[in-house]
Amino acid sequence: MNPAVTHPCSTPGEDAVVGSDGWQRLIAARDAYMQAVSPHYDEVLHHVAHRAQAEGSLGKADIGALLLWKRLRADTRWAGALMAVADAEVRRVTAAAVAAVRDTSLSRSTAARVGRAALAGLPGSTSGDALASAVLTAAAPDRTAVYDRRAHVGLRSLGIPLTHSQGRYSRCIDAVDHLLADAPDPVRAWTPREMDTALYYPPSLSLAPPNA
């Protein structure tokens, strides 16, 4: 096992060293998540991902399902604004995002940046990355991951801070990519989604049922 690995984030100065203790904490966090969370929890994500694969876009019903999956609030101004947008327009916007994150000629972080930018005008994705990252994860679950407050704290607990400046989601994916590239077994074989569940549930935090 590597005693320490330096992980450059794309913002200057955001460098971190993850040592053997950090890797062990990630493995323990992933194990804790798997033991505490129902194996059926991601069924909604899998259903939406299957439809996105078949249709090349996500509609309002798909986003509503992801809202339930992420346990986000729907009694918000943006939710009402989204419902006022034609489903065809929602699909036009999400189709561009789906195409971007599935483009294997792009690095994961670049694809995440382009995909996130495509969603920027969609209600619920104009600020904050929780819902947008859920959409992008459903669009390409083997290339993207969820960003939320817990993932942010999880990265910081490993010594990998992210600023809140523009492009935060792509920097998160860049950090996940570096972790996966340099990790020892069994972490190296994880998908980005598996990594984000470990970041979501670090042993340094209280082990509470998942919520966004």
Side-chain angles (χ1 to χ4, degrees), residues 114-139:
V114 177
R116 179 66 184 89
L119 296 174
L122 198 66
S125 299
T126 56
S127 63
D129 295 313
L131 180 63
S133 68
V135 170
L136 297 175
T137 299

Side-chain angles (χ1 to χ4, degrees), residues 99-111:
V101 291
R102 289 184 186 168
D103 186 350
T104 57
S105 71
L106 302 176
S107 69
R108 283 175 175 164
S109 60
T110 298

Side-chain angles (χ1 to χ4, degrees), residues 5 10 37 107 140 199 210:
V5 179
S10 57
V37 178
S107 69
L199 293 171

Side-chain angles (χ1 to χ4, degrees), residues 4-120:
V5 179
T6 299
H7 296 277
C9 295
S10 57
T11 298
E14 289 186 344
D15 296 334
V17 174
V18 177
S20 57
D21 176 68
W23 298 124
Q24 290 302 319
R25 287 176 56 221
L26 275 174
I27 293 169
R30 172 68 179 163
D31 288 344
Y33 182 92
M34 295 298 292
Q35 291 171 16
V37 178
S38 168
H40 305 297
Y41 193 85
D42 275 358
E43 285 179 343
V44 168
L45 174 64
H46 297 155
H47 290 324
V48 175
H50 180 76
R51 289 197 297 268
Q53 177 67 37
E55 299 178 19
S57 65
L58 288 81
K60 288 190 288 187
D62 299 311
I63 294 174
L66 293 175
L67 195 68
L68 171 66
W69 174 67
K70 276 296 294 166
R71 296 174 66 176
L72 299 174
R73 290 180 58 181
D75 58 337
T76 58
R77 184 175 299 175
W78 70 258
L82 180 63
M83 293 302 294
V85 178
D87 195 64
E89 175 61 15
V90 172
R91 287 190 177 278
R92 184 192 66 79
V93 171
T94 60
V98 168
V101 291
R102 289 184 186 168
D103 186 350
T104 57
S105 71
L106 302 176
S107 69
R108 283 175 175 164
S109 60
T110 298
R113 176 176 56 79
V114 177
R116 179 66 184 89
L119 296 174

